[in-house]
Amino acid sequence: MRIIDREDIIKSVERLCIDTNCILNDDIIKSFDSFIEKEASPIAAGILRDLKKNGEAAKKRMMPICQDTGMAVVFIEIGQEVYVDGSLEEAINEGVRRGYINGYLRKSVVYDPVIQRINTKDNTPAIIHYNIVKGDKLKITVAPKGFGSENMSRIHMLKPSEGRKGVIDCILKTIDEAGPNPCPPMIVGIGIGGNFEYSAYLAKKALLRPIGQYSEKAYLREIEEEVIKKANNLGIGPQGLGGTTTILWAAAEDYPTHIAGMPVAVNISCHVTRHGEVTI
Amino acid sequence: MEISLKTPVTREMARKLRAGDRVKISGIIYTARDAAHKRMLENREKDGFPIDLKDSVIYFAGPSPAKPGEAVGSIGPTTSYRMDSYSPDMIKYGETVMIGKGKRSSEVVEAMKKYGAVYIGAIGGAGALLASHVEKCRVAAYEDLGAEAIHELVVKDFPGIVIIDSEGNNLYETEYLKYRRND
Ligand code: SF4
């Protein structure tokens, strides 16, 4: 058994909340460069250059890349041999609290979703996904997610007979309907199979994969490639003002499903797809 | 065309702007998101408006908190359709320019045509870059709403592009078709 100190968890989560919100990951910056080169619309290329500049400005001033610093989504992989000194959940939320307060991040969480909608003032609670794995390590991934793009996400409960074409079509339809709303260029997470809620979880998890790293499963890679190509032929372009850069990337994850179903979740994200991890 | 737009913006000025014009806005503008819109319109008869809506520029945005020594935090646009149910009334009561991102409803466009107003897009996700065009920021009303409070901003050359003009021309309907391919 290995004991992990609560304070280490808090500090890690705090740091990750701040860093992911202020520093655009390298894979995204690199992909801007390659899309700027290929972009058919000069206005669109200009917008992409501005987004790159925005990333640079944010890093330099340690200011959030985007004012919507999101709801903190936290993935935990905890080894079976780990003992956390105190409540893990409380430690994560304390880390989020400190990160959003000390990092001057925007607090965007409300207690009651329907009637009062009163701000919790410290961006807690986080959305936490736990996974118990072998070993004595604790891996923490923080992925703050904005809601301009979250609101454009959809789950499609397809019939198995709709097959591969049904999968591609519903993903493209989701992207097309999102249009200018999620600050394109988008990054698209896709979860196929499982059930209703698990497909959504997979789609969210797919957003953690770096741009350029296709699925190891051949059929998923083909779906990813086809979605990237066809989505960029939709014409939406950066900010919806037309162009050949509508999505920077699409990543798909799958899981076995029921004989009667074929769920496909599409988690729309924007160029500010934030994620960072540490292993303690 | 690139146009320097000084606020306040009269209905005549708004009517001259065309979809596709690039604008640089200077002067006072106000931020308001759904919660502030809702409260303003619900309390109108009782309290009047907390800001002068006549010829006003309303930016759909909620900044991240300013660090010590900075005028404002990151401040990009929020998705505008959440304001669609409020905007026709806001336009009726004097708003002439809306700044946001994303599609608008036909009711909003009809009100823009009727009264003379425009919808300007700011680059969504470029909150740090846009912050460099904000010289001053203070809370003008509804402090309890936090990021959703109405902030009065003094901006200089704040960049945007006219997406929908007062004739109903709409870049979101025309531009994507130029690059759309069916293969
Ligand atoms: S969709 Fe992304 S870039 Fe746009 S406002 Fe939301 S978090 Fe920011």
Side-chain angles (χ1 to χ4, degrees):
Chain A
M1 196 177 68
R2 178 170 166 247
I3 299 174
I4 293 185
D5 185 15
R6 186 173 175 272
E7 201 58 32
D8 287 344
I9 298 168
I10 297 173
K11 289 222 174 79
S12 304
V13 172
E14 176 183 2
R15 189 76 260 151
L16 285 171
C17 287
I18 296 172
D19 286 354
T20 54
N21 266 304
C22 300
I23 304 170
L24 203 54
N25 284 347
D26 273 346
D27 56 327
I28 294 175
I29 295 179
K30 281 204 195 100
S31 92
F32 280 148
D33 289 334
S34 74
F35 277 101
I36 288 168
E37 239 167 70
K38 285 183 281 185
E39 178 53 62
S41 152
I43 293 174
I47 294 170
L48 295 175
R49 275 193 287 272
D50 278 347
L51 292 178
K52 193 180 162 189
K53 262 193 244 161
N54 179 64
E56 289 160 0
K59 186 174 177 183
K60 203 164 125 214
R61 296 163 76 176
M62 277 310 267
M63 179 187 260
I65 309 155
C66 175
Q67 76 292 334
D68 184 355
T69 50
M71 199 165 179
V73 180
V74 180
F75 294 87
I76 295 290
E77 271 180 32
I78 182 163
Q80 285 167 350
E81 292 153 48
V82 170
Y83 174 81
V84 176
D85 165 29
S87 157
L88 176 56
E89 186 177 326
E90 277 171 23
I92 295 167
N93 280 321
E94 180 58 26
V96 169
R97 184 172 295 122
R98 289 191 200 170
Y100 276 73
I101 291 173
N102 298 338
Y104 297 90
L105 307 179
R106 200 181 77 186
K107 291 84 183 165
S108 312
V109 176
V110 292
Y111 280 112
D112 141 41
V114 185
I115 309 293
Q116 303 227 13
R117 297 187 65 86
I118 293 173
N119 200 296
T120 66
K121 300 238 161 71
D122 57 11
N123 221 53
T124 67
I127 308 250
I128 312 172
H129 301 288
Y130 298 97
N131 242 317
I132 299 170
V133 298
K134 280 195 208 148
D136 64 354
K137 299 268 190 297
L138 174 69
K139 182 171 156 193
I140 305 172
T141 305
V142 176
K145 180 70 165 70
F147 257 57
S149 51
E150 196 73 352
N151 283 337
M152 296 296 114
S153 304
R154 301 287 180 265
I155 297 180
H156 307 270
M157 301 304 285
L158 299 183
K159 296 192 288 285
S161 63
E162 291 178 77
R164 186 179 183 283
K165 181 171 184 303
V167 174
I168 302 267
D169 286 352
C170 79
I171 299 166
L172 291 173
K173 184 166 170 260
T174 307
I175 296 169
D176 206 20
E177 285 175 0
N181 292 357
C183 305
M186 309 171 211
I187 293 176
V188 182
I190 303 158
I192 306 175
N195 60 0
F196 184 73
E197 86 279 7
Y198 202 72
S199 64
Y201 166 77
L202 291 173
K204 180 73 81 214
K205 232 180 118 188
L207 290 174
L208 302 179
R209 208 177 325 130
I211 291 182
Q213 190 183 315
Y214 287 103
S215 170
E216 283 168 12
K217 293 184 181 168
Y219 94 95
L220 286 182
R221 178 182 176 132
E222 280 171 20
I223 288 175
E224 291 165 352
E225 287 175 330
E226 192 168 335
V227 167
I228 293 168
K229 178 165 166 263
K230 289 191 168 161
N232 285 325
N233 284 342
L234 290 173
I236 298 167
Q239 304 297 314
L241 296 178
T244 52
T245 311
T246 296
I247 73 169
L248 299 175
W249 188 245
E253 300 284 332
D254 73 349
Y255 196 78
T257 190
H258 187 279
I259 46 173
M262 193 169 70
V264 179
V266 185
N267 196 189
I268 299 287
S269 192
C270 51
H271 85 276
V272 194
T273 295
R274 295 153 277 206
H275 53 90
E277 57 180 59
V278 291
T279 302
I280 304 178
Chain B
M1 222 175 38
E2 188 162 308
I3 294 168
S4 286
L5 199 60
K6 292 254 180 313
T7 72
V9 177
T10 63
R11 291 193 157 150
E12 295 69 51
M13 283 158 78
R15 283 205 190 274
K16 285 194 195 127
L17 295 168
R18 283 290 156 269
D21 286 347
R22 277 176 297 129
V23 294
K24 290 196 153 123
I25 303 167
S26 299
I28 289 177
I29 68 174
Y30 296 97
T31 67
R33 295 169 47 98
D34 353 6
H37 275 81
K38 183 162 182 257
R39 199 183 283 182
M40 269 194 279
L41 291 169
E42 277 177 4
N43 296 355
R44 184 185 69 88
E45 288 192 6
K46 187 160 54 84
D47 306 333
F49 289 117
I51 53 171
D52 187 5
L53 279 193
K54 186 172 183 304
D55 300 336
S56 64
V57 178
I58 304 287
Y59 182 20
F60 305 150
S64 64
K67 279 191 181 173
E70 308 248 17
V72 72
S74 195
I75 185 161
T78 195
T79 323
S80 307
Y81 72 88
R82 297 198 318 277
M83 267 52 74
D84 281 358
S85 50
Y86 311 115
S87 288
D89 277 339
M90 295 287 287
I91 294 169
K92 185 167 97 189
Y93 295 124
E95 169 188 273
T96 51
V97 178
M98 298 166 282
I99 309 174
K101 62 152 169 131
K103 297 174 204 169
R104 307 309 307 271
S105 69
S106 53
E107 290 78 12
V108 176
V109 178
E110 281 316 308
M112 291 166 59
K113 290 205 263 194
K114 182 166 170 201
Y115 295 102
V118 290
Y119 175 52
I120 289 175
I123 299 185
L129 207 59
L130 292 170
S132 62
H133 295 276
V134 177
E135 293 180 332
K136 284 187 201 146
C137 170
R138 70 172 187 98
V139 173
Y142 308 156
E143 185 148 25
D144 59 298
L145 293 179
E148 297 212 66
I150 298 180
H151 295 78
E152 181 190 280
L153 309 177
V154 178
V155 295
K156 184 152 198 317
D157 295 332
F158 188 91
I161 180 159
V162 179
I163 306 266
I164 309 176
D165 63 28
S166 61
E167 289 182 349
N169 300 305
N170 185 343
L171 295 189
Y172 289 150
E173 285 170 1
T174 52
E175 300 311 293
Y176 79 97
L177 289 170
K178 298 179 184 165
Y179 297 93
R180 198 163 178 101
R181 287 183 12 217
N182 291 320
D183 54 334

